[in-house]
Amino acid sequence: MPRGSSRVKLIQNYVDGNFVSGKSRFADVNPATGVVIAEVAEADKEQVDQAVQSARKALRGDWGRKSVSERAAHLHRVADAIEKRFDCFVAAEVADTGKPIALASRLDVPRAAANFRVFANLLQASGLESFQTETPDGKGALNYAVRKPLGVVGIITPWNLPLLLLTWKVAPALACGNSVVVKPSEETPATATLLAEVMQEAGIPDGAYNVVHGFGPNSAGEFLTQHPNVNAVTFTGESATGAAIMRTVAASVKPVSFELGGKNAAIVFEDCDFEEAVRGISEAVFLNTGQVCLCAERVYVQQNIFDRFVEALKREAESLRLGAPMESTTQLGPLISSQHRDKVLSYYRLAREEGAITVSGGGVPEFGTEFDHGFYVQPTIYTGLAETARCVKEEIFGPVCHVAPFASEEEAVAMANDTKYGLAASIWTSNLKRGHRVAQQMNVGITWVNCWFLRDLRTPFGGVGLSGIGREGGMHSLNFYSELNNICIRL
Ligand code: NAD
């Protein structure tokens, strides 16, 4: 791996309001070039313990004493500070992930600020149920609930939308009065530490937000989930990691919220708006180089339009501009790491072994520049696989889909639902009755009709089966990040 300057910057942990180094370090690599851009301070067990202790102290101290409106004001200040440092966040996210600057500017960073604003507003607007309850003696009782923080929340996040997914959990957790210890992905550590600077600027009290860097097993991730003073764990990542975390937290019966993997289907009916569906599916397959948990890897197209659709999707795929993440016109960046590229390329090989017809891509692009050292793969479309093929069943998490024909609505629903995952689906039809009917049969957490990746942040988000446990979003987040204390007063 080519190395960058020998004086690369150090990305530190953030514990009790201080930026601290670790006893060991690991490299942060720019996936577009393979160059080491920073060193990351790895938190050892003792530092994770210090972070948890500081979070606990914050609950008893300044942060724990804040009123709802004070907490909401702090969250708005965090959002303001993110917006003030917009370019800085975009640059850090692009360097860590290799995603195109246009995408980070349109999606990742604005959503981070929006996450803080949405939960600040929601917290202030939300009440809880209260009932005048009848009693046999006629005097009655007043029964109501109050919201209390869970305590210290451990937050573990992946690399695909690092800041967006981190703040999606940090914002509601802080809104509810918890303190947090976050463990960002080892692949994308920069924006969590940058957010710590913003927390300081916004006056978030020391200990309310802590960052520990490191890996999963036998490193910061596991030290955090097994810590006895962590009261709840919220995790986004692979289903197998969710299972491992579940085993770790089982002994202490901590509440968990898991947003896990997917093998999402898109169903394209012959009555769809053809151009809109082609553009929509292309985005659903290739956005962020296919590294969004909601991306469609299985596309089912009604027989009559199958050939025309595959041809049009091929044209879309081949028109995508791959390359320099900092170019404003770039549409596809690299995969996150050489290991992940090996994994995706192993699926490209497997697809051919399983009998796939390669419609487009299937290999590695050549640039003749520094990007040849990056972890790029071609956007890829297959047809011809059996529904039982591993490439149709397993999450690949790259810019790739398999397109298969279907004859009837029933067949399409059966094929789409034939998976252990259940995160998302999209349906493309101009018949809205059909849209509703099919959407209600999807065994997933979210179904889109004639769109993809569009969601009001106040609505529930999560998956069924291997795709997760619980729902976050709007009140669902506030409910996960709080204990509801039911109080009944005899009048
Ligand atoms: P991953 O599971 O490998 O890692 C996620 C995080 O977990 C990292 O911070 C990692 O260090 C940590 N970790 C790993 N093992 C651990 C352990 N034993 N204990 C504690 N922490 C541990 O996932 P990834 O490769 O970073 O992300 C890609 C996956 O995330 C895909 O499967 C994708 O579908 C999924 N994802 C899901 C959603 C969703 O909302 N459902 C969103 C984004 C990504």
Side-chain angles (χ1 to χ4, degrees), residues 79 82 107-117 163-164 167-168 171:
I82 292 173
L107 174 68
D108 299 73
V109 181
R111 250 297 293 279
N115 284 338
F116 283 98
R117 295 209 193 282
L163 181 68
L164 186 160
T167 52
W168 174 240

Side-chain angles (χ1 to χ4, degrees), residues 10 75 111 176 249 395:
L10 177 65
L75 296 196
R111 250 297 293 279
C176 292
V249 303
E395 183 185 47

Side-chain angles (χ1 to χ4, degrees), residues 287-339:
L287 189 87
N288 206 35
T289 316
Q291 302 167 115
V292 179
C293 54
L294 303 164
C295 278
E297 292 191 1
R298 298 180 294 141
V299 181
Y300 299 104
V301 180
Q302 200 153 12
Q303 247 160 20
N304 304 358
I305 59 165
F306 182 79
D307 290 342
R308 187 157 76 97
F309 187 89
V310 170
E311 203 40 49
L313 191 61
K314 172 183 160 78
R315 276 198 301 277
E316 281 286 320
E318 290 175 1
S319 73
L320 291 169
R321 288 181 297 273
L322 270 74
M326 289 304 279
E327 281 291 332
S328 62
T329 52
T330 297
Q331 292 167 295
L332 278 200
L335 295 169
I336 191 66
S337 62
S338 62
Q339 294 88 324

Side-chain angles (χ1 to χ4, degrees), residues 65-83:
R65 284 192 291 271
K66 297 263 181 266
S67 67
V68 164
S69 51
E70 285 171 334
R71 290 204 300 267
H74 273 78
L75 296 196
H76 279 297
R77 281 207 288 278
V78 173
D80 293 343
I82 292 173
E83 282 161 358

